[in-house]
Amino acid sequence: MSDLNDGYGESGDYGESGDHGESGDHGDYEGSQGEPGEGSFTDAELDAGVLEEELRQAAAILDPVPAELRRIAVDAFVLHDMDARVAELTFDSLVDAIPVRGETDPPRMLTFRTDETTVDVEVTAGGLIGQVLPPGPAGIEVLSGPLAPARLTADDMGRFTGEAPPAGPFALRLRTGREVVVTEWLRA
């Protein structure tokens, strides 16, 4: 039926009675190995596991994940940093600001915050301009999906500039002397 433990005890034979039981039940299986969650599975859980595996195999055959998408997903996971703090978007001029009359292409102003760090960023057609607060030097990477990150450096006042504006989704990863901060992903 399956490779899962479906009623076998540690010695490899069925419950104390030594038989399978009748009508597809698992003999003394349910409750005989302790509380639920301690290595025991119900018939419904076994059936769900088998069904999930069959669906997974069918999807792999009928609708496989494209190699490029798999590579991008693996690369995105590599960007995951366990020590990084996520900076929350607290201001976005596209949402929070009142439009200026006559301005055809206003810069987009963004503010990201953690408990100790604030990052102010202005996104223009000419690139990025920003500042890290509290002021201090930092290494900054502009993450943009499958593309190699653009590397910027903040000076002693926390100011940084980037020549090219991000295209598509982007995030910033800052490495200060104190911590690693990653901003939320946004669309440029």
Side-chain angles (χ1 to χ4, degrees):
M1 177 164 153
S2 79
D3 296 0
L4 298 175
N5 179 3
D6 55 10
Y8 282 101
E10 287 184 14
S11 64
D13 48 345
Y14 284 92
E16 295 175 23
S17 65
D19 65 349
H20 292 73
E22 298 296 318
S23 68
D25 71 351
H26 295 288
D28 292 338
Y29 172 69
E30 288 188 38
S32 67
Q33 296 182 5
E35 296 297 316
E38 291 183 16
S40 62
F41 296 98
T42 64
D43 285 340
E45 290 171 331
L46 288 173
D47 291 343
V50 171
L51 177 61
E52 180 182 354
E53 183 58 31
E54 288 177 359
L55 289 172
R56 196 178 304 275
Q57 290 174 3
I61 293 168
L62 299 173
D63 189 19
V65 176
E68 181 65 12
L69 181 59
R70 185 180 303 273
R71 187 188 65 74
I72 290 170
V74 169
D75 290 346
F77 184 75
V78 169
L79 296 176
H80 177 73
D81 191 339
M82 294 298 287
D83 296 328
R85 299 181 58 126
V86 176
E88 180 181 353
L89 179 66
T90 57
F91 177 80
D92 184 347
S93 62
L94 287 181
V95 177
D96 303 319
I98 299 172
V100 177
R101 190 165 138 205
E103 185 71 34
T104 58
D105 191 18
R108 184 174 182 187
M109 307 296 291
L110 304 166
T111 301
F112 300 94
R113 290 197 179 165
T114 67
D115 292 337
E116 294 106 24
T117 306
T118 300
V119 184
D120 290 318
V121 182
E122 180 177 321
V123 181
T124 68
L128 295 174
I129 302 170
Q131 184 173 19
V132 179
L133 299 169
I140 300 167
E141 296 171 278
V142 181
L143 309 173
S144 56
L147 303 176
R151 300 191 189 285
L152 310 175
T153 303
D155 63 16
D156 291 338
M157 297 298 294
R159 300 172 298 193
F160 61 90
T161 59
E163 299 294 320
F170 76 98
L172 302 175
R173 182 179 1 198
L174 294 80
R175 297 181 190 277
T176 67
R178 301 174 303 278
E179 63 184 347
V180 176
V181 175
V182 178
T183 66
E184 293 180 24
W185 284 82
L186 294 174
R187 185 163 295 278

